[in-house]
């Protein structure tokens, strides 16, 4: 979230699309309700009428996988009706930048496309530069090659009739949503978006979110109270686990994983440090080397020295151009490329798309380590449906761990608040906190390498691994390492900081090895003043619900990021009733500003040479209305899902996203416009179960409330198929099948898509064969293993199935 | 004086059950008051954050002060600025995660081609795993790739998880896996 949960209460209009907040993030509705009490409008757009829809002022449906068409129509509406915030767009975004001559778009393809590699040469999307190497601009936005004019042209194709034919949403409903939401383009008004996996789990997932981000920029809704782009993250610490980068492509704090071509630390830092020639751009990532060196100092401690590149050589490198993501990982496992596998606090037998492929892949391993609270479908795969244990070689070690209330540490919520939790009781039996399991296992591995030697033991033996007190794992020690220490007496701006003291914030980090910081974004979370995540002040000095002394939030306790865009060029808040920050003439009042530089204009209306543009993480200092870094195009474009019910993309000759890449194993079957699978399928959760249900399916209260899997369908489809409410049905895709109870409701309605009637069904994915008995299995047995070309997040929200009575 | 719901419970708990709290202008039903008293007298109170979705609701955990040390109650933290005491069905049932008898209590091992789990000590389980990690790593370690570039990575082991761990555990886990040379490191954020 760029903003945070309480801030939703400041909004004038809330669009819930690509999520079902009332079901999956129930307490968020407290703040939606607060906004509504103050007159805000709640819009719900979803293929199904959900619990969120039941609270909404207005609800309308769209077919799964058509969000870009829906939102592209909104961009067209905003521009056609002049509802945008022109000053914001012209000065804070790259809408004014002039595009180079090579940029173009024709019939669904941007310039630079290579059909053979299914990828783009992004150099075709470059801006025109002036003699100083700064992008040329036209703040009047009239130049036909400026981003704004190209944007206008691109989305003029998304007229109401065309959008309605694709999405199945009536044109009157489209207009109603567009008009209501776009009213926030007026100064002083704010609208926000609450989205989740309903947007990410598509082959156009990144562009779904980009389309919305662009709408927020058009309307001046980024950085303001009650605005922003707000991902409702699904796990208590999925924000923190992402920040600390349990992901192949990034190191903690969103540093890049080293590529094979980054042959030294200098080469690595040079490659990944963005540059700008614009003196008014802060280009915050220009500090890259301070963060990467401080990270290596936390990894290898005293063993990381200037002469060995701070241990850079010890870090594993990935091959350039190759992906190692979830789908690639299971594809490689399926092909027998791994002998060992850790499934640590995760249940891929149910949570992964095309789950049959994952379950089969486990049989190819020599060993698996499964750390969890409860028995689950992953650790016990060898006795699951269709498996013959006598034929499966895989050894499995199940390690029982402590629950959240049985250990101490912090978790970061969706609003980036890192909150400290305390230990309330011991874990049952011999179960251990995960931290203790890690420490003891790594100690044993280190001992083996110390005694016996082995392949390249340096990183293992040189790792700084001193996170125990009195023989057990100590989360405070790790929390301090994440924050970072001064490793020598360091003088910053004339003040001395002693070696061994905690660094006050990331502005103090150094690139010469005199500081450590496990994650620069968390630098300031645990300082000489104490453990910031443990703060519990209930005072809200801001008046807009920032609660700045309750816990701590990254970066540097800034509660609303991009907040320097919440003011006009004089530093005056767009919304004076809900100011996030404001310029006092001497400094900023309010939230921690996105940099302390003065506003863009002086009181006399002249450019202030000391200013910096507000979007400080972008090398140009401007938000990306035009996004030349994406794999599938600088502007979003509608493409059909990999599996879809219609034979033609009504927008262009490009049927599916032209940059997605399919996997080729026998388990990767797909069926589009196939009479065997004529119904659109989607997946979702229920309040009572969490993710695959690995924790909740063992709890009697929750199982009593939601005992088994179901397939929800319209009355019309049920009639067509001879299915009654409560019948057992079989839902089948090209990859697998599941049994479920039919729930026949008016919450699903057939769509009219390009003149044809299309049905859609939905199933929860929170069940599994281990427990409860007769509860059903995961609906991910149906979903395809195909991912977004930027993130490789699987397309589990739109696929094709058939339904029949069991 | 502003009184939060928690202060109110503390005050009402400290007063004997059923007493009219005239000064505060309200009154608790005797049964409810007695329950509050028991909880406060006989339990240790700790705060936590809900382990499910990422709204990050505050929860108070009551642990028995007697010898059992068991969790006896969990409830919404009224001081928490986000949930202000409210919880959803899952958060409200949190105590069952800790108290259910279905938790796995000892390390388990499933041998190749076996049809059952057997219990194993931590010492043995971690020792055996360490041995396998070393074997898989040593036999799959790639010093240079096809282009001859130095990559120093372990191609034969993969890791997934976890968004359910604490920040400190996540950081330590990535440090450990990367020191072992793994590049196939993924978790819930990707799906």
């Amino acid at each position: 979230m760029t903003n945070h949960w309480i801030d939703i209460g400041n909004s004038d209009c809330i669009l819930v699309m690509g999520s079902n907040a009332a079901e999956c993030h129930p307490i968020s509705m407290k703040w939606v309700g607060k906004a509504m009490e103050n007159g805000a409008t709640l819009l719900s757009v979803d293929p199904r009428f959900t619990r969120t829809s039941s609270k909404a002022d207005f609800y309308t449906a769209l077919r799964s996988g058509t969000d870009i068409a829906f939102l592209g129509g909104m961009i067209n509406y905003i521009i056609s009706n002049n509802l945008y915030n022109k000053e914001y767009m012209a000065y804070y975004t790259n809408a004014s930048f002039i595009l180079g001559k090579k940029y173009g778009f024709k019939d669904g393809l941007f310039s630079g496309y290579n059909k053979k590699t299914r990828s783009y040469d992004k150099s075709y999307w470059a801006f025109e530069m002036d003699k100083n190497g700064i992008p040329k601009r036209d703040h009047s936005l009239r130049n036909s090659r400026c981003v704004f004019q190209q944007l206008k042209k691109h989305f003029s194709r998304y007229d109401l009739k065309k959008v309605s034919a694709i999405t199945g949403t009536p044109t009157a409903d489209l207009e109603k949503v567009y008009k209501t939401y776009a009213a926030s383009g007026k100064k002083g008004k704010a609208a926000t978006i609450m989205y989740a996996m309903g947007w990410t789990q598509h082959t156009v997932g990144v562009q779904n979110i980009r389309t919305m981000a662009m709408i927020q920029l058009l309307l001046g809704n980024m950085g303001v109270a009650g605005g922003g782009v707000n991902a409702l993250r699904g796990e208590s610490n999925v924000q923190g686990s992402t920040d600390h980068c349990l992901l192949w492509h990034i190191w903690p704090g969103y540093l890049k994983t080293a590529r094979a071509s980054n042959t030294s630390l200098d080469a690595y830092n040079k490659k990944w440090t963005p540059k700008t020639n614009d003196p008014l751009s802060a280009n915050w990532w220009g500090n890259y080397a301070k963060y990467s060196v401080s990270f290596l100092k936390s990894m290898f401690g005293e063993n990381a020295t200037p002469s060995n590149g701070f241990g850079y050589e010890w870090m594993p490198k990935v091959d350039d151009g190759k992906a190692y993501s979830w789908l690639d990982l299971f594809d490689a496992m399926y092909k027998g490329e791994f002998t060992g596998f850790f499934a640590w606090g995760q249940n891929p037998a149910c949570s992964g798309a095309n789950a049959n492929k994952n379950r089969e892949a486990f049989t190819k391993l020599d060993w698996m380590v499964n750390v969890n609270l409860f028995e689950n479908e992953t650790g016990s795969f060898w006795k699951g449906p269709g498996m013959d244990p006598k034929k499966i070689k895989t050894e499995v070690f199940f390690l029982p761990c402590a629950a959240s209330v049985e250990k101490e540490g912090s978790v970061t919520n969706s609003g980036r608040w890192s909150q400290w939790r305390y230990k309330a009781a011991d874990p049952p039996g011999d179960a251990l906190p995960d931290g203790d399991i890690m420490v003891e296992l790594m100690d044993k591995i280190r001992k083996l390498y110390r005694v016996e030697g082995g392949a390249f033991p340096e990183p293992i033996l040189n790792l700084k691994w001193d996170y125990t007190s009195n023989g057990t794992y100590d989360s405070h020690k790790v929390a301090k390492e994440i924050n970072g220490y001064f490793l020598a007496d360091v003088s910053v701006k004339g003040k001395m900081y002693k070696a061994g003291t905690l660094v006050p914030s990331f502005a103090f980090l150094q690139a010469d090895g005199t500081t450590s910081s496990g994650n620069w974004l968390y630098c300031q979370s645990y300082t000489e003043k104490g453990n910031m995540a443990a703060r519990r002040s209930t005072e809200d000095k801001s008046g807009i619900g920032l609660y700045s002394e309750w816990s701590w939030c990254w970066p540097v306790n800034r509660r609303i990021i991009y907040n320097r865009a919440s003011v006009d060029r004089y530093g005056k808040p767009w919304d004076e009733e809900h100011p996030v920050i404001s310029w006092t003439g001497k400094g900023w009042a309010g939230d921690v500003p996105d940099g302390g530089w003065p506003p863009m204009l002086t009181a006399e209306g002249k450019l202030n040479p000391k200013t910096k543009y507000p979007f400080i993480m972008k090398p140009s200092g401007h938000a990306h209305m035009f996004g030349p870094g994406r794999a599938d195009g600088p502007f979003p474009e509608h493409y059909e899902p990999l599996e879809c019910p219609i034979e033609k993309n009504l927008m262009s000759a490009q049927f599916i996203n032209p940059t997605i890449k399919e996997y080729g194993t026998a388990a990767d079957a797909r069926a589009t416009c196939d009479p065997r699978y004529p119904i659109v399928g989607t997946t979702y959760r229920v309040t009572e179960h969490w993710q695959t249900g690995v924790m909740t399916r063992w709890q009697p209260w929750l199982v009593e409330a939601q005992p088994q899997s179901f397939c929800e369908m319209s009355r019309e489809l049920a009639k067509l198929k001879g299915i009654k409410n409560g019948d057992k049905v079989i839902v089948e895709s090209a990859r697998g099948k599941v049994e479920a109870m039919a729930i026949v409701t008016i919450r699903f309605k057939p769509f009219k898509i390009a003149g044809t009637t299309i049905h859609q069904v939905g199933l929860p994915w929170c069940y599994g064969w281990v427990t409860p008995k007769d509860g059903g299995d995961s609906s991910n047995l149906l979903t395809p293993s195909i991912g977004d070309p930027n993130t490789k997040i699987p397309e589990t929200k739109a696929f094709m199935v058939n339904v029949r009575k069991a | 004086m502003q009184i939060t719901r928690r202060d109110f419970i503390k005050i009402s708990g400290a007063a004997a059950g059923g007493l009219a709290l005239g000064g505060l202008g309200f009154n608790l039903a005797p049964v409810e008051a007695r329950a509050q008293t028991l909880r406060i007298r006989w339990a240790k109170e700790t705060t936590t954050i809900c382990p499910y979705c990422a709204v990050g609701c505050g929860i108070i955990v009551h642990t028995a002060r007697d010898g059992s040390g068991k969790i006896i109650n969990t409830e919404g933290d009224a001081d928490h600025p986000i949930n202000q005491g409210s919880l959803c069905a899952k958060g409200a049932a949190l105590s069952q995660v800790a108290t259910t008898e279905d938790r796995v209590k000892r390390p388990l091992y499933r041998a190749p081609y076996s049809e059952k789990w057997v219990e194993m000590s931590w010492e043995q389980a971690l020792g055996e795993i360490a041995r396998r990690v070393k074997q898989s790593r040593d036999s799959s370690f790639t010093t240079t790739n096809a282009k001859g570039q130095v990559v120093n990575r372990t191609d034969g082991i993969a890791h997934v998880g976890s968004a359910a761990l604490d920040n400190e555990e996540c950081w330590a886990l990535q440090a450990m896996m990367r020191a072992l040379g793994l590049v196939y490191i993924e978790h819930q954020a990707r799906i």
Side-chain angles (χ1 to χ4, degrees):
Chain A
M1 290 172 103
T2 58
N3 296 39
H4 59 100
W5 297 107
I6 293 170
D7 183 63
I8 295 167
N10 292 321
S11 198
D12 297 300
C13 180
I14 299 152
L15 173 62
V16 182
M17 184 169 171
S19 84
N20 178 7
E23 183 89 43
C24 301
H25 300 83
I27 303 303
S28 70
M29 293 304 283
K30 179 186 278 285
W31 299 100
V32 173
K34 178 90 178 161
M36 290 171 86
E37 276 172 27
N38 295 331
T41 308
L42 174 62
L43 302 169
S44 164
V45 180
D46 197 291
R48 176 181 61 129
F49 185 91
T50 66
R51 279 180 169 171
T52 307
S53 315
S54 74
K55 298 283 177 194
D57 294 293
F58 186 74
Y59 163 77
T60 193
L62 87 172
R63 169 173 61 105
S64 276
T66 63
D67 303 76
I68 290 174
F70 191 106
L71 297 173
M74 173 134 51
I75 291 182
N76 188 15
Y77 182 91
I78 292 167
I79 295 176
S80 312
N81 294 290
N82 289 318
L83 299 170
Y84 46 85
N85 180 335
K86 191 177 170 195
E87 184 184 347
Y88 186 107
M89 190 171 46
Y91 290 96
Y92 297 169
T93 81
N94 66 11
S96 65
F97 289 27
I98 311 297
L99 283 163
K101 299 278 187 291
K102 280 163 81 184
Y103 168 75
F105 176 81
K106 201 178 161 194
D107 201 15
L109 283 178
F110 296 89
S111 53
Y113 185 65
N114 182 331
K115 205 172 169 181
K116 217 168 130 195
T117 58
R118 294 183 64 80
S119 64
Y120 283 104
D121 174 353
K122 294 178 199 167
S123 71
Y124 280 75
W125 310 337
F127 297 116
E128 227 174 86
M129 297 290 179
D130 68 12
K131 62 182 189 314
N132 298 317
I134 298 170
K136 284 187 185 169
R137 286 164 223 173
D138 173 18
H139 288 125
S140 77
L141 307 179
R142 282 195 211 103
N143 185 313
S144 68
R145 297 291 299 170
C146 84
V147 166
F148 178 70
Q149 290 300 332
Q150 291 294 317
L151 174 84
K152 186 175 170 178
K153 188 172 149 196
H154 185 86
F155 285 102
S156 64
R157 300 152 53 237
Y158 290 75
D159 60 78
L160 289 172
K161 215 174 131 198
K162 183 71 74 65
V163 170
S164 176
I166 295 169
T167 59
T169 314
T171 53
D173 285 12
L174 290 170
E175 259 192 305
K176 169 89 179 164
V177 172
Y178 297 168
K179 189 179 176 189
T180 310
Y181 197 86
S184 67
K186 217 175 138 199
K187 287 171 193 173
K189 294 289 174 196
T192 194
I193 171 68
M194 297 168 73
Y195 77 91
M197 316 322 278
W199 271 0
T200 60
Q201 291 175 342
H202 291 280
T203 44
V204 292
V206 166
Q207 299 286 9
N208 280 339
I209 294 146
R210 250 189 70 68
T211 322
M212 192 68 218
M214 289 160 65
I215 290 172
Q216 292 297 67
L217 292 170
L218 279 164
L219 299 171
N221 280 330
M222 292 305 294
V224 305
V229 172
N230 294 306
L232 315 187
R233 307 212 63 175
E235 316 229 0
S236 59
N237 198 33
V238 71
Q239 186 61 56
S241 59
T242 306
D243 302 336
H244 297 308
C245 298
L246 282 163
L247 291 163
W248 80 267
H249 68 299
I250 37 180
W251 291 348
Y254 303 92
L255 303 172
K256 305 285 183 185
T257 295
R259 265 60 178 176
S261 62
N262 310 150
T263 51
S264 65
L265 177 62
D266 285 345
Y268 166 84
N269 283 333
K270 198 172 164 214
K271 166 75 184 170
W272 300 115
T273 306
K275 284 153 209 76
T276 177
N277 291 320
D278 193 334
L280 296 184
S281 175
N283 187 27
W284 197 265
W285 278 115
N287 294 304
Y288 195 94
K290 297 174 187 171
Y291 308 150
S292 62
V293 171
S294 294
F295 165 65
L296 290 171
K297 284 299 293 179
S298 285
M299 282 290 291
F300 301 113
E302 288 174 357
N303 299 315
T305 64
S307 63
N308 63 20
F310 300 104
Y312 175 77
E313 191 197 350
W314 303 328
M315 295 298 285
K317 317 284 183 306
V318 294
D319 284 347
D320 295 75
K322 182 173 157 71
Y324 300 75
S325 76
W326 180 274
L327 291 173
D328 302 297
L329 187 160
F330 282 100
D331 196 59
M333 190 188 293
Y334 185 86
K335 292 173 179 162
E337 291 180 22
F338 306 127
T339 50
F341 177 54
F342 288 92
W344 199 308
Q346 190 163 16
N347 187 15
C350 290
S351 63
N354 200 0
N356 273 327
K357 184 177 176 182
N358 297 1
R359 294 177 185 187
E360 184 62 26
F362 300 152
T363 68
K364 315 280 175 72
L365 297 163
D366 286 349
W367 55 269
M368 173 198 287
V369 174
N370 183 211
V371 186
N372 218 309
L373 302 175
F374 295 99
E375 187 187 353
N376 60 76
E377 290 75 14
T378 298
S380 294
F381 80 93
W382 44 273
K383 56 174 171 171
M387 296 280 173
D388 179 358
K390 290 192 211 99
K391 292 186 180 144
I392 297 168
K393 64 172 175 173
T394 315
E395 282 183 295
V396 186
F397 295 88
F398 183 96
L399 306 179
C401 58
S404 59
V405 290
E406 296 157 358
K407 60 185 182 184
E408 189 175 353
S410 67
V411 285
T412 303
N413 79 358
S414 209
R416 298 166 287 106
W417 295 14
S418 174
Q419 304 187 91
W420 198 259
R421 308 196 279 210
Y422 296 89
K423 179 179 169 175
D426 287 328
D430 295 341
L432 285 176
D434 296 271
D436 285 287
I437 300 173
M438 285 167 215
V439 164
E440 290 183 29
L441 176 59
M442 196 56 177
D443 283 350
K444 283 195 159 47
I445 296 170
R446 280 154 67 91
K447 194 173 167 195
L448 285 180
Y449 276 92
R450 204 176 298 120
V451 174
E452 300 174 9
F456 199 56
E458 286 84 353
I460 296 173
L461 298 179
N462 289 331
L463 180 70
K464 185 176 181 293
W465 197 247
D466 55 354
Y467 302 118
T468 55
S469 294
N470 304 319
T472 59
Y473 163 78
D474 181 348
S475 53
H476 290 270
K477 276 195 173 168
V478 187
K480 289 177 186 173
E481 188 64 60
I482 290 171
N483 179 84
Y485 292 95
F486 288 105
L487 304 172
D489 294 348
V490 176
S491 169
V492 184
K493 287 180 185 167
K495 196 176 165 195
M496 275 303 282
Y497 295 87
K498 294 298 254 183
T501 59
L502 292 157
V503 178
S505 92
F506 56 61
F508 296 81
L509 295 176
Q510 308 292 324
D512 60 1
T514 56
T515 55
S516 66
S517 178
N519 186 335
W520 71 277
L521 271 182
Y522 281 72
C523 191
Q524 198 195 64
S525 62
Y526 207 128
T527 67
E528 291 300 320
K529 289 179 185 159
N531 181 359
M532 297 293 139
R535 294 186 300 177
R536 283 182 62 90
S537 167
T538 53
E539 195 182 353
D540 177 37
K541 291 173 187 161
S542 70
I544 56 166
L546 299 183
Y547 290 93
S548 300
E549 289 171 28
W550 178 280
S551 71
W552 178 86
C553 112
W554 70 257
V556 288
N557 208 30
R558 181 176 303 134
R559 301 279 159 151
I560 296 180
I561 52 180
Y562 310 123
N563 59 25
R564 280 179 61 248
S566 72
V567 295
D568 66 14
R569 286 181 296 154
Y570 293 91
K572 194 173 130 199
W574 300 113
D575 179 358
E576 299 201 67
E577 272 179 51
H578 304 98
V580 183
I581 59 167
S582 58
W583 182 251
T584 63
K586 287 178 189 152
W588 294 101
D591 194 11
V592 176
D594 248 325
W597 306 283
M600 288 170 76
L601 298 179
T602 63
E604 296 77 38
K606 293 212 172 71
L607 182 73
N608 189 334
K610 288 184 191 156
T611 193
K612 299 284 180 200
Y613 304 127
F615 287 88
I616 63 172
M617 302 311 283
K618 293 286 174 202
S620 72
H622 292 69
H624 279 191
M625 199 67 92
F626 184 84
R630 301 281 65 81
D632 43 0
F635 287 135
E637 171 69 4
H638 168 74
Y639 303 109
E640 287 293 326
L642 179 75
E643 290 190 335
C644 73
I646 58 173
E647 286 175 343
K648 199 168 161 279
N649 175 0
L650 299 180
M651 284 312 300
S652 75
Q654 293 304 315
F655 189 40
I656 56 170
N657 187 330
T659 58
I660 53 172
K661 293 182 180 78
E662 291 186 61
Y663 297 90
T665 75
D668 289 294
R670 70 133 150 163
T672 203
C673 295
D674 186 323
R676 289 174 301 164
Y677 308 105
I679 302 164
V680 179
T682 196
T683 61
Y684 40 76
R685 284 210 300 110
V686 295
T687 302
E688 293 77 7
H689 289 296
W690 184 62
Q691 313 301 46
T692 68
V694 73
M695 286 164 77
T696 49
R697 283 188 272 121
W698 296 92
Q699 297 181 47
W701 297 343
L702 300 173
V703 169
E704 189 178 339
Q706 286 286 1
Q708 64 201 148
S709 188
F710 55 85
C711 174
E712 191 165 347
M713 65 186 75
S714 68
R715 285 178 175 173
E716 291 84 351
L717 178 62
K719 194 174 166 199
L720 201 69
K721 294 278 179 181
I723 294 166
K724 286 194 193 65
N725 194 36
D727 280 353
K728 190 177 264 188
V729 295
I730 293 170
V731 187
E732 204 162 357
S733 78
R735 294 155 297 277
K737 60 179 175 182
V738 292
E739 277 191 2
M741 283 291 173
I743 295 189
V744 180
T745 73
I746 55 168
R747 298 186 296 217
F748 267 121
K749 293 268 189 206
F751 292 101
K752 270 271 180 255
I753 308 292
T756 316
T757 301
I758 304 282
H759 295 280
Q760 180 160 357
V761 297
L763 298 96
W765 59 279
C766 45
Y767 292 93
W769 58 267
V770 166
T771 197
K773 197 172 171 288
D774 301 324
D777 210 337
S778 171
S779 55
N780 273 319
L781 294 166
L782 306 171
T783 55
S785 34
I786 183 80
D788 174 275
N790 299 284
T791 60
K792 293 264 183 140
I793 290 181
E795 186 161 69
T796 53
K797 287 293 175 272
F799 52 94
M800 298 303 293
V801 298
N802 205 355
V803 186
R804 62 188 154 91
K805 208 169 151 176
Chain B
M1 173 177 140
Q2 207 186 357
I3 293 171
T4 67
R5 197 176 78 95
R6 260 184 87 203
D7 290 333
F8 166 61
I9 290 165
K10 281 177 193 162
I11 294 162
S12 56
L19 270 186
L21 301 167
L24 294 169
F26 43 64
N27 189 358
L28 276 178
V31 174
E32 194 185 336
R34 175 156 167 73
Q36 305 284 19
T37 311
L38 286 175
R39 185 180 54 189
I40 289 156
R41 261 195 210 149
W42 301 105
K44 180 186 81 177
E45 191 179 86
T46 46
T47 58
T48 192
I49 301 299
C50 181
Y52 297 115
C53 85
V55 172
C57 296
I59 296 178
I60 299 170
V61 186
H62 293 102
T63 310
R65 283 192 199 280
D66 67 18
S68 76
K70 296 272 189 215
I71 290 170
I72 51 175
N73 179 57
T74 51
E75 64 186 45
D77 182 348
D79 286 347
H80 197 285
I82 297 173
N83 62 310
Q84 299 177 338
S86 310
L87 291 175
C88 76
K90 291 185 300 299
L94 177 63
S95 63
Q96 292 196 336
V97 174
T99 56
T100 173
E101 279 305 307
D102 291 320
R103 287 274 293 279
V104 181
K105 300 184 182 73
R106 297 189 199 349
L108 302 174
Y109 173 69
R110 185 261 174 182
Y113 311 108
S114 165
E115 292 174 273
K116 60 178 197 305
W117 290 111
V118 289
E119 286 191 359
M120 204 179 240
S121 71
W122 277 106
E123 187 58 27
Q124 193 188 354
L126 294 178
E128 298 281 340
I129 295 167
R131 181 52 71 192
R132 279 156 188 75
V133 168
K134 184 165 189 300
Q135 197 178 346
S136 288
R137 183 179 181 274
D138 287 354
S139 62
S140 71
F141 196 79
T142 306
T143 307
T144 55
N145 64 8
K147 283 188 188 165
Q149 296 161 321
V150 176
V151 291
N152 286 332
R153 66 176 183 236
T154 300
D155 281 325
I157 307 177
H159 166 96
V160 300
S162 174
L165 299 183
D166 291 345
N167 279 319
E168 297 72 26
E169 292 169 333
C170 289
W171 194 88
L173 189 57
Q174 71 78 33
M176 169 179 164
M177 292 300 168
R178 291 194 159 110
L180 291 174
L182 270 67
V183 287
Y184 281 101
I185 300 172
E186 287 280 89
H187 82 288
Q188 283 89 342
R190 185 77 64 194
I191 57 172

